[in-house]
């Protein structure tokens, strides 16, 4: 029979019950969707690209099928099925792609032909992304995301996992859908908080060491009494911080603080943060604020 192209393995086979039902349907109504094959232009070798389930169902249903190879006038391979309705031998294979043709990537065809008629779970989609990356690791995350119908961040996460275990190489450039190679953006390094604080302390100590020692001054009693009796000016309000900067600093601090925590500790941290926000919202609404210690006590009780 026709050898199977590796791209055909991107999607799992149907279960036995489904193949039996499909075979009975083909026996009753004929083959509605032709078998798709891919041809190597140099060797004229033909590969099965899409239709493994249909061929297995035809075999299980006992429908006659045969493969014919011709040499003259040109090399060609035909896959014929004896129609259960007419009894005639009918070609059922369609050469949809040939290497060298525009858009001849067999992986693109298999994904396009199956992604919308298969109901894949999130785990199955990640498996599909991993298979595509192993076959074409040079493709960009956005190209694979568009093929598989997922977000490019999902593809990036699967790529990082495969690259970390050396299942795929790490590329400094990836190829987009337009065929152009682009340099991948380097992942920004995380700030070393402890090193940053230690550096700041050293800089502060150096600045204090360079500062001149203040000389005690003689205090004038009358000036002192006048200054003490003068009305005290209200302190100026501190200018509000930019909201985006505040959110970024808070997110950075929480992320670094939770980096070394266990799952249970992170869950408790999230509960306490929610308690802080809830307490502030109660204050805005004019309600009596719940002491944060009560939130913590309640959480420990549960």
């Amino acid at each position: 029979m026709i050898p199977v192209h590796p791209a055909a393995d991107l999607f799992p086979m149907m279960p036995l019950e489904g193949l039996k039902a499909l075979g009975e349907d083909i026996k009753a109504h004929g083959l509605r969707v032709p078998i798709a094959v891919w041809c190597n232009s140099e060797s004229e070798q033909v590969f099965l690209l899409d239709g493994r389930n249909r061929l297995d169902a035809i075999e299980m249903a006992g429908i006659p099928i045969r493969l014919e190879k011709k040499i003259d006038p040109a090399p060609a391979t035909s896959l014929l099925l004896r129609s259960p309705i007419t009894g005639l031998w009918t070609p059922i294979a369609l050469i949809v792609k040939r290497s060298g043709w525009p858009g001849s990537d067999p992986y693109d065809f298999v994904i396009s032909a199956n992604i919308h008629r298969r109901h894949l779970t999130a785990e199955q989609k990640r498996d599909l992304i991993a298979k595509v990356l192993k076959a074409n690791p040079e493709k960009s995350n956005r190209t694979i995301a568009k093929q598989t119908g997922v977000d490019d961040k999902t593809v990036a996460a699967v790529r990082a996992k495969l690259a970390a275990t050396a299942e795929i190489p790490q590329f400094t450039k990836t190829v987009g859908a337009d065929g152009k190679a682009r340099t991948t953006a380097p992942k920004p390094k995380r700030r070393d908080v402890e090193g940053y604080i230690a550096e700041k302390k050293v800089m502060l100590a150096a600045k204090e060491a360079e500062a001149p020692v203040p000389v005690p001054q003689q205090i004038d009693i009358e000036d002192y009494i006048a200054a003490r009796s003068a009305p005290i000016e209200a302190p100026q309000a501190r200018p509000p911080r930019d909201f985006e900067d505040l959110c970024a600093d808070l997110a950075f601090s929480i992320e670094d603080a939770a980096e070394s925590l266990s799952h249970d500790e992170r869950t408790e941290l999230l509960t306490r943060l929610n308690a802080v926000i809830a307490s502030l919202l109660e204050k805005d609404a004019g309600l009596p604020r719940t002491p944060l210690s009560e939130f913590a006590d309640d959480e420990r009780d549960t």
Side-chain angles (χ1 to χ4, degrees):
M1 292 298 290
I2 301 176
V4 179
H5 194 281
D9 294 326
L10 289 177
F11 291 87
M13 293 287 291
M14 292 176 61
L16 183 61
E17 295 77 10
L19 290 174
K20 290 181 179 179
L22 179 59
E24 293 302 319
D25 183 83
I26 295 174
K27 183 183 290 186
H29 304 100
L31 184 65
R32 301 170 188 251
V33 181
I35 306 300
V37 298
W38 182 86
C39 180
N40 186 310
S41 299
E42 296 180 357
S43 63
E44 291 297 331
Q45 175 67 57
V46 175
F47 295 89
L48 175 64
L49 198 57
D50 183 61
R52 294 178 302 164
N53 290 313
R54 276 160 280 167
L55 288 177
D56 284 355
I58 289 171
E59 184 178 358
M60 292 180 65
I63 303 173
I65 190 171
R66 73 185 186 194
L67 184 68
E68 290 185 352
K69 292 186 178 182
K70 298 179 181 179
I71 301 177
D72 187 41
T77 301
S78 299
L79 187 64
L80 304 175
L81 174 142
R82 174 171 286 180
S83 172
I85 301 174
T86 65
L88 300 176
W89 288 97
T90 307
I92 60 172
L94 174 66
I95 297 181
V96 294
K97 294 296 178 185
R98 180 183 288 267
S99 61
W101 287 359
S104 60
D105 187 345
Y107 292 89
D108 288 346
F109 176 83
V110 171
I111 295 173
S112 177
N114 289 274
I115 193 67
H116 298 295
R117 69 188 187 195
R118 301 289 188 104
H119 301 286
L120 301 180
T121 64
E123 184 62 31
Q124 287 174 329
K125 283 191 175 183
R126 285 192 290 271
D127 290 341
L128 173 61
I129 294 168
K131 290 178 181 178
V132 176
L133 281 170
K134 290 178 181 179
N136 298 297
E138 73 282 355
K139 283 190 175 182
S140 68
N141 294 339
R142 289 187 179 181
T143 300
I144 297 177
K146 187 176 180 180
Q147 283 181 327
T148 55
V150 299
D151 188 84
D152 63 308
K153 295 182 178 61
T154 303
V155 180
V158 176
R159 181 189 292 275
K161 184 177 180 180
L162 294 176
T165 55
E167 294 183 67
I168 60 171
Q170 295 184 0
F171 288 93
T172 56
K173 290 185 177 182
T174 54
V175 180
D178 57 0
K180 296 181 179 179
R182 294 177 176 84
T183 303
T184 56
K187 185 178 180 181
K189 295 182 178 180
R190 293 177 56 85
R191 292 174 62 186
D192 183 358
V193 178
E194 294 183 357
Y196 175 77
I197 294 175
E199 182 180 348
K200 283 292 185 181
K201 288 182 177 180
V202 171
M203 294 174 61
L204 182 60
K207 185 178 292 186
E208 291 178 350
E210 295 175 359
V213 179
V215 179
Q217 297 181 353
Q218 192 73 22
I219 299 177
D220 188 290
I221 299 298
E222 293 181 359
D223 292 341
Y224 175 76
I225 295 174
R228 293 288 293 177
S229 59
I232 301 176
E233 297 181 358
Q236 295 182 354
R238 186 171 57 179
R241 293 188 61 186
D242 180 75
F243 179 75
E244 295 296 334
D245 290 342
L246 177 60
C247 290
D249 289 344
L250 285 174
F252 173 76
S253 300
I254 293 173
E255 182 182 4
D256 280 319
E259 186 73 25
S260 61
L261 299 180
S262 65
H263 175 76
D264 292 337
E265 290 171 337
R266 291 178 181 175
T267 302
E268 182 177 353
L269 175 60
L270 177 61
T271 302
R272 296 193 179 186
L273 290 175
N274 287 335
V276 173
I277 300 300
S279 178
L280 293 174
L281 291 176
E282 290 176 355
K283 178 182 178 183
D284 293 340
L287 301 174
R289 294 181 64 183
T290 304
L292 298 183
S293 58
E294 293 186 14
F295 286 105
D297 293 341
D298 293 343
E299 178 65 22
R300 282 192 292 270
D301 294 339
T302 58

